[in-house]
Amino acid sequence: MATPEFILDLRSKIGTDLLWLPGVTAVVLRPSPARPGSRQVLLVRRADNGAWTPVTGIVDPGEEPAVAGARECLEEADVVAEPEALVWVHSLPEMRYENGDRSQYLDLTFRFRYVSGEPFPADGENLEAAWYEEDDLPEMSEEMANRVAAGLAPGDVCRWSF
């Protein structure tokens, strides 16, 4: 997966020290063409570990998080989507990468409405991109399943821990 240039610049100064980064998750929904009254969820299968997830990414410096989510949908799955609601804000545990880099992310999960495009793995970060019926999702980590559940939850209320 391509590391954003601003992170490479930071790493050249701080080495492998812990970076606190804003991340975004886009739970993209559309009405199910096969099941009236139901919805489909856009998922991608990551190239690095084969896991199914909603679209995720890092927010660039100065970028609005909802704009970052829309950008990631287009870059990763060639899907145009519009943000509807911020549905979950939470911090993730520290991550350590094979090269020794340490990062921790503040994830901002948004529900997005599908606008156009047929999903495919557009940028090489994913092996597949596809629509799944909301009640027939592939196996995914508890963390990613919770993000999807937040996007599927009724209403526009954001949740967080306190």
Side-chain angles (χ1 to χ4, degrees):
M1 302 195 143
T3 302
E5 191 64 35
F6 81 93
I7 292 177
L8 296 175
D9 289 344
L10 284 170
R11 287 287 177 209
S12 73
K13 295 171 179 68
I14 68 164
T16 60
D17 286 352
L18 181 66
L19 274 179
W20 175 251
L21 296 167
V24 65
T25 299
V27 179
V28 182
L29 305 177
R30 75 173 186 182
S32 172
R35 298 181 188 171
S38 186
R39 297 172 293 184
Q40 292 183 323
V41 181
L42 176 65
L43 298 176
V44 294
R45 192 163 66 88
R46 296 172 50 113
D48 62 347
N49 62 13
W52 284 101
T53 72
V55 172
T56 63
I58 296 172
V59 180
D60 289 338
E63 185 177 33
E64 290 290 336
V67 172
R71 173 182 53 77
E72 291 289 349
C73 289
L74 193 57
E75 288 177 1
E76 291 190 12
D78 202 39
V79 165
V80 176
E82 293 179 347
E84 290 186 327
L86 176 64
V87 295
W88 192 21
V89 176
H90 70 293
S91 61
L92 303 177
E94 180 180 322
M95 300 180 78
R96 292 178 185 263
Y97 296 94
E98 288 182 18
N99 65 358
D101 288 351
R102 297 169 45 225
S103 297
Q104 191 166 9
Y105 299 91
L106 174 67
D107 178 67
L108 305 167
T109 299
F110 288 86
R111 182 178 60 244
F112 274 76
R113 177 181 62 81
Y114 168 77
V115 175
S116 65
E118 282 303 313
F120 75 94
D123 67 358
E125 289 187 29
N126 298 297
L127 301 172
E128 297 178 66
W131 293 106
Y132 282 88
E133 298 294 333
E134 66 181 304
D135 61 355
D136 191 22
L137 300 173
E139 185 177 328
M140 61 184 89
S141 72
E142 181 179 1
E143 170 66 31
M144 293 302 171
N146 286 338
R147 294 183 200 186
V148 171
L152 288 168
D156 292 344
V157 176
C158 182
R159 64 182 220 191
W160 60 86
S161 297
F162 181 73

